[in-house]
Amino acid sequence: MSPNPASSATGLSRRSFMTGTVSAAAAAPLLTSAAKAEAPVATRSKLREAVAVSLRINKQPYELSLDTRTSLLDALRDHIGLTGTKKGCDHGQCGACTVLVDGKRVLSCLSFAVMNQGKEVTTVEGLASSEGKLHPMQQAFIDHDAFQCGYCTPGQIMSAIGCINEGHANSEDDIREFMSGNICRCAAYPNIVAAIVQARDQTRGA
């Protein structure tokens, strides 16, 4: 068979073309990695430097020095010592870490601490009065035995208060819908709904 005139004229065969294409594709990731490696170490380190963060938790001011990537959850538990807020999935899927920020529900594992400067953060430790009287929601959870292992309970209580504040507790169906982001592996859901109804009626009548 006679050679392809086009290939002979350019000196490029199908095999050499394919070899060159594959080599170029294989080299691309190596070039990208090399470029990343050349990034100044000082620049990368600067991103991890601690910064001053002012937080107001349960009406008390806190001055902290934190990595900017520190979550609100880790700031509460590891830097302030408020361990009532629980770390469950750490991916915003279970609701165990729910706190109130300016009265609204927030998953603290998905919120950076630095994002909450100047805001009022309330955790389960901040619900009872200074005299020790429980919040109506805390008392309702006790009255209706709305917990078993108790791990999810702080997040359930904080979310339940937020649910009422948001006007999403008008019916049991609404409560189930707007509390669906809080998982109870013990399946105490009927008792949780009953507790929210009780606390809702008490807080509305207050």
Side-chain angles (χ1 to χ4, degrees), residues 115-188:
M115 296 167 57
N116 294 281
Q117 295 193 94
K119 300 178 181 179
E120 184 66 45
V121 180
T122 305
T123 71
V124 70
E125 291 93 340
L127 294 181
S129 69
S130 57
E131 293 80 23
K133 182 180 180 180
L134 296 178
H135 185 281
M137 189 65 73
Q138 292 174 302
Q139 187 61 55
F141 265 65
I142 294 172
D143 294 344
H144 290 274
D145 194 22
F147 52 88
Q148 291 184 42
C149 79
Y151 194 84
C152 75
T153 304
Q156 296 278 3
I157 288 174
M158 301 309 295
S159 188
I161 294 171
C163 184
I164 293 174
N165 291 344
E166 296 160 11
H168 293 149
N170 295 318
S171 68
E172 292 190 6
D173 285 342
D174 284 346
I175 291 171
R176 294 187 187 95
E177 174 66 25
F178 288 97
M179 287 292 293
S180 60
N182 289 76
I183 297 173
C184 174
R185 65 184 299 172
C186 302

Side-chain angles (χ1 to χ4, degrees), residues 57-126:
I57 315 293
N58 300 329
K59 300 181 180 180
Q60 297 294 323
Y62 292 88
E63 299 293 331
L64 305 174
S65 180
L66 300 174
D67 184 314
T68 55
R69 298 166 299 176
T70 303
S71 68
L72 178 58
L73 173 60
D74 287 341
L76 292 170
R77 291 181 57 83
D78 301 336
H79 296 271
I80 300 177
L82 296 174
T83 56
T85 304
K86 303 304 182 187
K87 179 177 285 194
C89 67
D90 209 23
H91 287 79
Q93 298 176 349
C94 72
C97 69
T98 305
V99 298
L100 300 180
V101 177
D102 290 339
K104 297 181 180 179
R105 293 181 282 183
V106 168
L107 296 170
S108 59
C109 74
L110 296 184
S111 179
F112 291 119
V114 295
M115 296 167 57
N116 294 281
Q117 295 193 94
K119 300 178 181 179
E120 184 66 45
V121 180
T122 305
T123 71
V124 70
E125 291 93 340

Side-chain angles (χ1 to χ4, degrees), residues 33-55:
S33 299
K36 289 181 179 179
E38 291 174 2
V41 175
T43 301
R44 297 199 299 270
S45 299
K46 189 173 182 180
L47 295 175
R48 300 182 181 181
E49 289 180 359
V51 299
V53 179
S54 299
L55 295 175

